[in-house]
Amino acid sequence: MAPTLGLLLAAWGASALVQMSVDREMARYRESPEILWISSGKVLRTLSLGHQSLLADVYWTRTVQYYGSRLRDHKTDFSLLGPLLDITVTLDPQLTVAYYFGSIFLSEKPPRGAGDPKHAIALLQHGIVANPDEWRLWHHLGFLYYWELRDYVRAAAAYQAGAKNPKARDWMKVMAAAITEKGGNLQTSLFLWSRIYDSTEDPTIRKNAAGHIDGIKAQIDMEAIEKRAQQFQEQNGRWPASIAEMVSHGLLPGVPVDAAGFPYRLKPDGTAALNPASTVTLDYNHSPAPPRAPAP
Amino acid sequence: MIAAQTLAIARNTFREAVRDRVLYNLVAFAVILIASALLFGEISIGVEKTILINIGLSSISVFGLLIAIFLGIGLVHKEIDKRSLYSLLSKPIHRWQFVVGKFLGLNLTLLVNTLFMSMGLWGALYYLTRSFQPEDVYIWTAIYFILLELFLVTAVCLFFSCFSTPILSAIFTFLIYVVGSAASDVRDFGTLTKNPLLESLTTAIYYLLPNFSDFSVAGAVSHGLPVGSHLILLNTAYAVCYASMLVIAAVWIFSKRDLK
């Protein structure tokens, strides 16, 4: 019995060792290029033999895995993201999570997304036609026009159209009016990103929204610091040397910190900046723009 | 008397089917696959329940199809092969009773199997959500549509098994299922050509083939969308009419068949 067991263990150990060598040898053969063999959702729908919704789930999972792996590997090319999402929603037009995910990550600039807001808009418009009750799709469409394209006229029109849905929240009307009146500003942007954060349970979308919210809040904080610095300059005839000096003069209750917990810096010309070690990213660095004239 | 005899054949067909070990393997495999959907949902985002319902319904449909074909192809051939048909037909039983009894027996088997697989789906759904939502009731509509689909597949299988070998019957049934699932695409293809002759031909093929794609509502119910009662009625009527046509054809062929 013991010799047999010994032989079995030895054989198993040897096979495991050989398998490890084979794995190392096979690694270079397994690296295949990312290709969509069938790029048409309509063809796949026919080939699915009535199981198109299951196939949509498979493609949706593949989309999520594709995006996650590109992000993990710090790759900036998301060329398959759009086609994968198109196939997914062609197979299952009611899979609303794909429109929400797609609208964010198709439009986000690399390295966060594909940087293709027009494709994202087309995807959302497809979603709105297929899901007329989903008023949040209008919110995402308006948001894309507002945030990515800075097209405040179309953004306001999208919020207005979405507000007509009986299930839509009241703030959709408020947003339409606010964007028409003020165009882009930090408070509006903060409000819209917060709505995106609150309206989803998708951890990837939430993490992305949280990053933008932190960035906008930092921008608001820095504007407030700069105002106080201006006040200091008017009182003392020079720019403050540091934020701590402003605190000692009673202009600030304490040294403010950003969402990552790092204190802000003050430059010699009185402008505020993020701590170099901070993980917060600023992506809203333009002055509020006036509303554009309506498109002809 | 005639009804009782036919039902006795159906009952025996059911008893014979449930003795088949392959059947249990297929049902067990389907239930395991449905349970595995819980893991599959983990690697996706926000659609765990949708994936579970889609995998569950597709498993019921695919394994039901396999059971229908594997049992259906031997319905007539096995009885001839074992010579049990001769002793049966020597009694005052019509040939049509044999065919109809076999058809009903196989459908009873599929009904019971589908219920077992559905229990697996509902169990997995409860494990995932810990509660049922009012819209979950629409899953039963999808299961009912799968049963109608299997009802049609059984009729196709029975039709071929009346004049063909089991292997050929399986191949023919599977091909009919594949083409029938894409029946509307065949018609659309004809429309796209804008050739009146081809258009008429593809339209004729569309109405001749069993249209399986109309029974696919998994996508809607997995998102909690209801299926209209009008569609339920129409699909039921279609399945009954089409299956009746095939059973009548099977009875006619079997009645003409020389069994000596």
Side-chain angles (χ1 to χ4, degrees), chain B residues 108-223:
Chain B
L108 180 63
T109 313
L110 288 167
L111 173 71
V112 173
N113 287 330
T114 304
L115 287 178
F116 272 109
M117 291 189 277
S118 303
M119 278 162 61
L121 170 60
W122 284 99
L125 191 62
Y126 185 76
Y127 179 82
L128 181 74
T129 58
R130 298 287 167 194
S131 64
F132 293 124
Q133 302 301 314
E135 65 267 20
D136 292 343
V137 78
Y138 304 130
I139 296 171
W140 282 117
T141 315
I143 293 171
Y144 174 65
F145 278 11
I146 291 171
L147 273 170
L148 290 180
E149 184 184 67
L150 298 178
F151 183 64
L152 270 186
V153 171
T154 314
V156 174
C157 218
L158 180 78
F159 172 73
F160 286 121
S161 76
C162 280
F163 61 87
S164 182
T165 63
I167 297 286
L168 283 177
S169 298
I171 293 169
F172 290 151
T173 308
F174 184 70
L175 287 178
I176 290 284
Y177 179 79
V178 171
V179 183
S181 297
S184 50
D185 291 301
V186 173
R187 187 175 62 170
D188 292 347
F189 170 74
T191 313
L192 280 174
T193 61
K194 290 181 180 166
N195 178 334
L197 186 69
L198 210 58
E199 214 170 319
S200 311
L201 185 71
T202 52
T203 306
I205 291 171
Y206 173 75
Y207 288 111
L208 188 67
L209 286 169
N211 197 333
F212 291 110
S213 60
D214 293 338
F215 299 110
S216 175
V217 289
V221 301
S222 67
H223 295 298

Side-chain angles (χ1 to χ4, degrees), chain A residues 28-47:
Chain A
R28 60 199 165 105
Y29 296 104
R30 284 179 181 145
E31 273 186 17
S32 54
E34 283 166 327
I35 293 172
L36 271 179
W37 296 105
I38 302 173
S39 56
S40 164
K42 282 181 184 167
V43 171
L44 281 164
R45 183 181 263 269
T46 304
L47 293 177

Side-chain angles (χ1 to χ4, degrees), chain A residues 151-196:
Chain A
D151 186 341
Y152 304 117
V153 174
R154 284 202 171 91
Y159 278 104
Q160 214 150 25
K164 285 178 189 161
N165 188 310
K167 290 179 185 169
R169 297 281 166 84
D170 290 341
W171 55 258
M172 290 281 287
K173 275 183 203 158
V174 178
M175 278 318 2
I179 295 170
T180 305
E181 190 187 336
K182 295 176 190 167
N185 68 45
L186 289 172
Q187 293 300 340
T188 309
S189 304
L190 181 63
F191 180 84
L192 290 177
W193 272 116
S194 301
R195 295 289 74 74
I196 295 219

Side-chain angles (χ1 to χ4, degrees), chain B residues 75-123:
Chain B
L75 275 180
V76 177
H77 191 269
K78 209 192 275 179
E79 298 287 347
I80 298 174
D81 204 37
K82 288 195 298 185
R83 303 204 166 268
S84 50
L85 179 68
Y86 302 104
S87 58
L88 189 70
L89 292 182
S90 63
K91 295 184 173 87
I93 288 173
H94 299 283
R95 286 193 185 190
W96 69 263
Q97 285 178 274
F98 172 77
V99 174
V100 173
K102 285 281 172 189
F103 177 68
L104 293 177
L106 182 52
N107 276 301
L108 180 63
T109 313
L110 288 167
L111 173 71
V112 173
N113 287 330
T114 304
L115 287 178
F116 272 109
M117 291 189 277
S118 303
M119 278 162 61
L121 170 60
W122 284 99

